[in-house]
Amino acid sequence: MLLQKFIESFNAAVEGFINVLKTERNMKAHFLAALFIILLGIYVNFSLVELMILVLTITLVLIVEMINTALEL
């Protein structure tokens, strides 16, 4: 039962993320920029710690953008 609720919750979060990517122009731009920057970091040969900090920072930006979108609605 607990696992089923966790899976339903995870699925709802993924659906929300996909919905934001489909409907919000700024989120698309943030996501594409994030993908580009991560690939650039790999290409430039960032250390593992630097990549982890980069991914954490990008994740926080995407989360804040989703919160901003929710507040605007």
Side-chain angles (χ1 to χ4, degrees):
M1 187 71 170
L2 185 62
L3 180 61
Q4 185 178 4
K5 285 186 178 184
F6 175 76
I7 291 172
E8 288 174 6
S9 176
F10 185 78
N11 285 339
V14 170
E15 286 178 21
F17 184 74
I18 291 170
N19 184 42
V20 167
L21 278 177
K22 285 181 178 179
T23 59
E24 296 297 322
R25 182 183 46 137
N26 288 338
M27 189 62 174
K28 289 177 190 175
H30 280 97
F31 188 76
L32 289 175
L35 185 62
F36 175 74
I37 294 300
I38 290 172
L39 292 174
L40 185 64
I42 292 170
Y43 178 75
V44 174
N45 214 10
F46 280 5
S47 71
L48 182 59
V49 172
E50 290 169 332
L51 278 175
M52 288 172 38
I53 292 170
L54 182 64
V55 168
L56 177 65
T57 304
I58 289 171
T59 301
L60 291 174
V61 168
L62 294 176
I63 289 170
V64 170
E65 180 66 29
M66 285 188 273
I67 291 171
N68 182 43
T69 299
L71 290 175
E72 286 176 352
L73 293 175

